Amino acid sequence: MDDEKIKHYDGVDSILGNPRIALWKMSIPLIISLFITSLYGVIDAIWVSGLGADALAGVGFVSPIFIALIGIGNGLGAGSASALSRYIGEENKEKSDNGAIHTILITIVISIVTTTILLIFLKDILLAMGAGITINYAMDYGIILSIGSILIILSNSLYGILRGEGDANRTMYAMLFSSILNIVLDPIFIYALNLGLKGAAIATLISLLSVNLILFYWFYIKKDSYLKPFLSNYKFNKGITIDILKVGLPASLELINNALFAALFSLLLVRVATTDAVAVYSTAWRVVTIATTPMLAVATALISVVGANYGARKYEEILVAHRYSMKIAILFGFIAALIVYIFAPQIVSIFAYTGTSTRLSPQLIAFLSLIVIYFPTMGYGATSTFVFQGTGNGITAMFQTILRETVFTLGFAILLAVVLDYGEYGAWWGIILGELLVNTITMIWADLHIKKLIKYKNITINSKN
């Protein structure tokens, strides 16, 4: 530790310092980073909409799979950030470095398994989701993304290593470069090279490849990160593997569950409406993803702040961080809701600018004008869920997500859309009601969890005295 004092690294010093300042330092670059990530899907949708509504629906059916791949990477990244920040809080550099290389090796193995499964079962999955007449479009887009699964998963996992040491800035730089590259390549591959949906997928993978190369350059050539994920630092440790996976796997399953929800919701929309309703939902949800990015960024930053303070047994600081993060995220939620509601027609015009896509405009505007109701509730729901990830309680966080998405949100959607026969509008209201109920439950749950940690610490201290 003599030549690598923790104080020499701004990110590490930040997550162990004032939790309010740490949240802002982590959140701002994460807002930009996640906003850029959201642009991948939006940029594809903007260009693909020029190919027609069926092509847009085809991309919509692949979206849950793409979300699942990002979810696996983000989940492993969350597991890594949670474990590594706790090791840093314990001031265990050797264990931190070993944990970083564990993350990469685990990610590679999971990526290989995931790619194999997708290549074998992709068409069956898409047909089961109701792709129907759009199956050829969906396969054109989906098969290429499946081949490049490792690029999607690995990049998001590597971000977790950087977040674990409190370095959110460099993830922002890499993703900014990747996004600009994607913006440039999309029209070239889709239209200039006449590759259609295949071109959109290829452009996305090239952009993701660039991100991975940049990240590996920082870790293995420039070598200026606090954590050193080198093979020379690797020594198999069952405890480290469990620490990463006990948050990483549930977090991945959380996001895969979100993808499952999107698939089931699309199937529901086909049942009560048409494939146009799927195009509306998948396209508008990209706008929702961008609008809610600030809340998710604050929640993601909270993992490292909570993890570091948990490792240092500074539980009171966790309570401060949680309550402060909720205030910030709720404010962002109200601002996002106001902007989307006011400018919904202008936002929709970006997607429905040509061909058969223009017929979707009224439905897209209606969806966006309604869905903003739930934005502020995500502010306190997401931050509360991520508290549990930061303290290593990944199973609890996963249960909360499944409760929100699969049980209540989908349950309300089926009740309103099918049983009460309100159609696709009923399905939209199902999302709002499910989010409102479970986000409120999660907020109360997280607050009680932190207070329990503080109480246990005080009892331990008093018993020693």
Side-chain angles (χ1 to χ4, degrees):
M1 286 289 291
D2 291 339
D3 59 339
E4 288 198 81
K5 298 290 186 183
I6 290 180
K7 66 180 181 180
H8 290 171
Y9 293 84
D10 291 339
V12 174
D13 187 54
S14 175
I15 59 175
L16 289 170
N18 186 307
R20 294 183 179 88
I21 296 174
L23 277 171
W24 279 114
K25 284 187 175 180
M26 290 282 290
S27 294
I28 292 174
L30 277 171
I31 289 171
I32 298 172
S33 300
L34 294 176
F35 174 79
I36 293 166
T37 298
S38 302
L39 283 179
Y40 277 127
V42 173
I43 292 167
D44 279 346
I46 291 172
W47 289 113
V48 167
S49 61
L51 300 174
D54 285 344
L56 201 57
V59 172
F61 283 109
V62 177
S63 290
I65 296 172
F66 189 54
I67 292 170
L69 293 174
I70 294 175
I72 293 170
N74 280 345
L76 292 171
S80 176
S82 175
L84 297 178
S85 61
R86 278 182 277 133
Y87 302 155
I88 290 172
E90 296 166 3
E91 299 189 20
N92 193 330
K93 182 66 166 64
E94 180 181 350
K95 193 174 183 180
S96 300
D97 289 338
N98 196 13
I101 187 61
H102 267 71
T103 297
I104 293 175
L105 296 177
I106 290 170
T107 300
I108 291 172
V109 172
I110 291 177
S111 296
I112 292 172
V113 173
T114 302
T115 302
T116 302
I117 292 172
L118 281 179
L119 291 178
I120 295 173
F121 297 108
L122 180 63
K123 188 171 184 179
D124 293 331
I125 293 170
L126 291 171
L127 288 173
M129 288 166 54
I133 60 174
T134 68
I135 186 63
N136 290 332
Y137 287 111
M139 284 297 292
D140 282 348
Y141 189 71
I143 195 70
I144 295 173
L145 287 182
S146 298
I147 292 171
S149 294
I150 190 170
L151 298 176
I152 302 170
I153 298 171
L154 184 59
S155 59
N156 286 283
S157 182
L158 292 174
Y159 298 149
I161 296 177
L162 289 174
R163 290 198 302 269
E165 66 175 64
D167 187 351
N169 287 321
R170 288 201 281 194
T171 61
M172 176 183 67
Y173 302 146
M175 295 165 74
L176 179 59
F177 174 79
S178 175
S179 180
I180 293 173
L181 184 61
N182 197 37
I183 291 171
V184 172
L185 293 180
D186 255 342
I188 294 174
F189 280 87
I190 295 173
Y191 296 107
L193 298 180
N194 199 31
L195 293 175
L197 285 184
K198 293 180 181 178
I202 292 171
T204 297
L205 291 190
I206 291 175
S207 302
L208 288 167
L209 175 62
S210 70
V211 167
N212 283 283
L213 291 176
I214 290 171
L215 291 168
F216 273 94
Y217 168 77
W218 285 330
F219 283 128
Y220 298 109
I221 297 177
K222 197 173 183 183
K223 300 179 182 179
D224 62 346
S225 59
Y226 171 69
L227 295 170
K228 310 296 183 186
F230 305 150
L231 282 174
S232 59
N233 291 328
Y234 177 74
K235 182 178 180 181
F236 177 74
N237 185 307
K238 183 179 179 180
I240 290 176
T241 303
I242 292 174
D243 278 346
I244 294 171
L245 293 181
K246 76 178 182 181
V247 171
L249 288 182
S252 296
L253 291 174
E254 281 181 54
L255 294 163
I256 290 173
N257 178 76
N258 291 346
L260 175 63
F261 167 79
L264 293 174
F265 197 78
S266 295
L267 195 60
L268 174 64
L269 291 174
V270 172
R271 160 74 172 75
V272 300
T274 66
T275 55
D276 275 5
V278 177
V280 169
Y281 165 66
S282 63
T283 302
W285 202 256
R286 291 181 170 91
V287 178
V288 173
T289 300
I290 291 178
T292 56
T293 287
M295 291 89 87
L296 183 59
V298 173
T300 303
L302 191 62
I303 295 177
S304 299
V305 176
V306 168
N309 283 290
Y310 185 81
R313 294 177 56 82
K314 296 160 65 176
Y315 304 141
E316 293 83 1
E317 299 285 38
I318 295 177
L319 185 63
V320 172
H322 176 228
R323 293 183 175 178
Y324 188 67
S325 70
M326 284 196 295
K327 292 177 183 178
I328 300 171
I330 291 170
L331 176 61
F332 282 145
F334 276 113
I335 293 172
L338 190 63
I339 291 173
V340 172
Y341 183 81
I342 293 174
F343 296 103
Q346 289 77 16
I347 294 170
V348 167
S349 67
I350 297 174
F351 296 94
Y353 62 86
T354 186
T356 56
S357 299
T358 55
R359 72 170 185 258
L360 304 177
S361 293
Q363 291 170 281
L364 283 166
I365 294 171
F367 181 89
L368 289 176
S369 299
L370 182 65
I371 206 66
V372 297
I373 295 173
Y374 102 87
F375 286 6
T377 74
M378 181 180 173
Y380 57 79
T383 50
S384 298
T385 295
F386 281 37
V387 163
F388 290 96
Q389 291 186 354
T391 59
N393 292 274
I395 296 293
T396 302
M398 179 185 71
F399 175 75
Q400 292 164 350
T401 299
I402 292 174
L403 194 67
R404 180 176 60 250
E405 303 291 348
T406 308
V407 179
F408 284 99
T409 300
L410 193 60
F412 279 131
I414 293 172
L415 173 65
L416 294 171
V418 179
V419 179
L420 299 180
D421 198 26
Y422 286 113
E424 60 187 294
Y425 291 94
W428 299 349
W429 269 106
I431 295 176
I432 295 169
L433 293 176
E435 293 283 347
L436 175 61
L437 177 62
V438 181
N439 284 336
T440 302
I441 293 172
T442 303
M443 175 185 64
I444 298 170
W445 195 345
D447 196 64
L448 292 174
H449 173 62
I450 300 168
K451 288 178 179 177
K452 185 177 179 180
L453 290 174
I454 295 172
K455 182 179 179 180
Y456 176 77
K457 176 185 174 182
N458 291 334
I459 291 173
T460 304
I461 292 173
N462 290 334
S463 64
K464 289 181 178 179
N465 294 332

